[in-house]
């Protein structure tokens, strides 16, 4: 079987799910390639997977250099919105999501269709934020599967339905009436079924256990203090590029953790080299924190509710405090709170004082830890990616 996996040029989508799935496919004896922007070649090739470069697909940084694409992807703009107004705003996708399902999806699809003429895949597996793979599979008449790396993004599908139908028409395809058509077929969920609300119109029929890196932990982490809880924090790899308020949120997070009796490791990306904000003695600022290796040893994860990090926390049994900014992050954060796995803090209200209160509450109330441990047991009982490989093969 020849499999193309399509992925947006985001490392946070590629590394935790797409590359591990690609390795499982290759281990099972299948030919595998990951289709993405030319700039993604290094991490794909480093993982030992063939890269299928799509020449007209741009990275986020390249897109934002164009004034037509610049702008925050969905952060609330006013602090004085009512809860109802905020909920309504959060239910709509941001501008970048709309573009990803419109003209950018068409560009991705045309490049992938061209590449497929020589690579000749039997099946296309897409991550659910990437719509070009969906369009290409439809145009080529190929079976397709979807990796649900941002599960609550399915709620945005009705908003992008017309755009996707427009791109279908441009490729000579008939329109579809079902707004959730891109999620139909083999939809691979990456969390226990309880994580998906009953009200979701596109819940996965198949759920799988994510791979977690079992590598060696660096010696510096072995020498952390042993007399207080370990807390991990960060806002992902995308926020600093697209959300102007990111630095303020980092400042509030660091100041908040400095007020708590904990040892905190906060990933602030490139800002770690020239950080000018608060520097509490119990908080270590880093460019990168190995969540997959440390979350199982931590008592709290403070993040933006990106599903990659949330899935790692679910696997490790780590309670959460989430400050979501855009995309599927707000509904994911709300879902974490609904399940009793952590607390949701609106970014417009995420002062140092508010974060100190939320983090202190989760650390003090062991109910959060007990529920997180129960979810981790459910995660551990799911079938692994090797079963997903068998399910993809059945499509062909």
């Amino acid at each position: 079987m020849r499999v193309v996996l399509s992925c947006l040029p985001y490392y946070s989508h590629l590394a935790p799910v797409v590359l591990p799935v690609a390795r499982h496919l290759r281990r099972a004896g299948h030919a595998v390639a990951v289709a993405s922007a030319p700039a993604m070649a290094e991490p794909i090739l480093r993982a030992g997977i063939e890269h299928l470069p799509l020449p007209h697909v741009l990275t986020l940084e390249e897109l934002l250099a164009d004034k037509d694409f610049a702008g925050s992807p969905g952060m609330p703009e006013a602090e004085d919105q009512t809860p109802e107004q905020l909920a309504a705003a959060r239910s709509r996708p941001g501008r970048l999501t709309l573009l990803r399902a419109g003209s950018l999806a068409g560009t991705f699809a045309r490049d992938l269709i061209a590449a497929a003429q020589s690579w000749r895949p039997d099946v296309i597996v897409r991550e659910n934020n990437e719509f070009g793979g969906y369009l290409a599979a439809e145009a080529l008449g190929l079976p397709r599967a979807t990796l649900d790396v941002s599960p609550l993004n399915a709620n945005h599908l009705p908003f992008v339905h017309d755009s996707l139908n427009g791109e279908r028409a441009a490729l000579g395809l008939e329109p579809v009436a079902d707004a959730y058509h891109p999620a139909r077929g083999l939809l691979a969920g990456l969390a226990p079924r309880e994580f998906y609300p009953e009200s979701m119109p596109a819940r996965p029929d198949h759920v799988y256990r994510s791979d977690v890196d079992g590598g060696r932990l660096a010696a510096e982490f072995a020498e952390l203090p042993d007399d207080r809880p370990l807390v991990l924090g960060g806002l992902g790899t995308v926020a600093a590029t697209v959300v102007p308020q990111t630095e303020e949120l980092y400042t509030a997070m660091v100041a908040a953790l400095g007020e708590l009796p904990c040892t905190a490791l906060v990933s602030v990306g490139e800002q770690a080299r020239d950080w000018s904000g608060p520097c509490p003695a119990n908080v270590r600022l880093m460019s990168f924190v190995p969540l997959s290796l440390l979350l199982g040893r931590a008592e709290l994860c403070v993040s933006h509710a990106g599903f990659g990090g949330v899935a790692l926390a679910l696997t490790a049994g780590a309670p959460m405090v989430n400050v979501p900014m855009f995309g599927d992050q707000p509904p994911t954060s709300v879902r974490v709170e609904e399940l009793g796995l952590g607390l949701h803090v609106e970014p417009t209200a995420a002062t140092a004082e508010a974060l100190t209160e939320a983090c202190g509450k989760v650390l003090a109330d062991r109910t959060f830890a007990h529920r997180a441990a129960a979810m981790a047991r459910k995660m551990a009982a799911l079938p692994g990616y090797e079963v997903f490989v068998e399910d993809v093969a059945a499509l062909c």
Side-chain angles (χ1 to χ4, degrees), residues 42-61:
E42 194 275 332
I44 295 171
L45 295 174
R46 187 176 68 241
I49 305 298
E50 183 178 351
H51 177 220
L52 206 58
L54 306 182
H56 301 101
V57 174
L58 303 179
T59 65
L60 186 59
E61 292 77 10

Side-chain angles (χ1 to χ4, degrees), residues 22-46:
R23 284 193 288 266
H24 275 276
L25 283 160
R26 189 188 59 185
R27 202 172 297 142
H30 304 296
V32 187
V34 173
S36 193
M40 301 304 290
E42 194 275 332
I44 295 171
L45 295 174
R46 187 176 68 241

Side-chain angles (χ1 to χ4, degrees), residues 27-293:
R27 202 172 297 142
H30 304 296
V32 187
V34 173
S36 193
M40 301 304 290
E42 194 275 332
I44 295 171
L45 295 174
R46 187 176 68 241
I49 305 298
E50 183 178 351
H51 177 220
L52 206 58
L54 306 182
H56 301 101
V57 174
L58 303 179
T59 65
L60 186 59
E61 292 77 10
E62 290 168 336
L63 278 175
L64 295 179
D66 185 334
K67 61 181 178 58
D68 291 334
F69 295 102
S72 180
M75 276 279 287
E77 295 182 359
E79 296 186 20
D80 57 353
Q81 293 186 83
T82 67
E84 293 75 18
Q85 290 171 327
L86 188 59
R90 289 295 210 189
S91 70
R92 296 187 294 271
R95 188 163 174 270
L96 194 57
T97 299
L98 295 171
L99 290 167
R100 286 288 186 198
S103 59
L104 299 180
T107 297
F108 197 113
R110 285 186 286 275
D111 276 3
L112 182 49
I113 290 167
Q117 302 310 311
S118 57
W119 206 87
R120 304 184 68 80
D122 298 310
V123 61
I124 292 177
V125 178
R126 55 179 279 269
E127 53 102 344
N128 67 309
N129 298 280
E130 193 291 296
F131 291 101
Y134 157 71
L135 293 169
E138 292 284 285
L140 294 168
L142 294 176
R144 54 184 169 82
T146 302
L147 294 167
D148 206 14
V149 304
S150 301
L152 296 178
N153 257 356
N155 295 326
H156 289 160
L157 287 174
F159 293 95
V160 301
H161 182 222
D162 289 344
S163 294
L164 283 172
N165 269 339
E167 297 304 322
R168 288 179 66 92
L171 292 170
L173 296 167
E174 293 294 322
V176 292
D178 179 11
Y180 299 95
H181 191 255
R184 303 304 184 198
L186 177 53
L187 177 62
L190 306 177
R193 297 189 189 281
E194 292 90 334
F195 188 83
Y196 303 88
E198 291 287 345
S199 59
M200 279 187 68
R203 300 176 82 228
D205 293 322
H206 304 265
V207 290
Y208 306 88
R209 182 183 69 253
S210 300
D211 274 1
V212 176
D213 183 3
R216 183 178 180 181
L217 193 64
E220 62 178 309
F221 299 112
E223 304 304 323
L224 293 171
D226 59 4
D227 59 345
R228 63 194 75 167
L230 176 63
V231 177
L232 308 180
L235 295 172
T237 58
V238 175
T241 305
V242 297
V243 178
Q245 300 94 330
T246 301
E247 187 172 349
E248 298 172 25
L249 293 175
Y250 271 130
T251 299
M253 181 188 296
V254 172
L257 294 175
E259 295 295 319
L260 294 168
C262 69
T263 294
L265 306 177
V266 179
S267 173
V268 295
E270 295 181 359
Q271 295 183 72
R273 291 195 297 268
D274 53 3
W275 178 258
S276 59
C279 297
N282 66 321
V283 180
R284 182 184 301 184
L285 302 178
M286 309 182 70
S287 59
F288 175 77
V289 173
L291 291 180
S292 61
L293 295 176

Side-chain angles (χ1 to χ4, degrees), residues 275-345:
W275 178 258
S276 59
C279 297
N282 66 321
V283 180
R284 182 184 301 184
L285 302 178
M286 309 182 70
S287 59
F288 175 77
V289 173
L291 291 180
S292 61
L293 295 176
L294 281 173
L295 267 175
R297 288 87 178 167
E299 295 189 39
L300 175 64
C301 178
V302 187
S303 81
H304 59 305
F307 189 71
V310 168
L312 285 174
L314 297 178
T315 300
M320 293 168 263
V321 168
N322 291 313
V323 185
M325 290 179 279
F326 58 87
D328 67 317
Q329 296 165 16
T332 298
S333 178
V334 169
R335 186 59 179 163
V336 166
E337 185 169 272
E338 289 173 346
L339 292 170
L341 304 171
L343 293 177
H344 166 89
V345 179

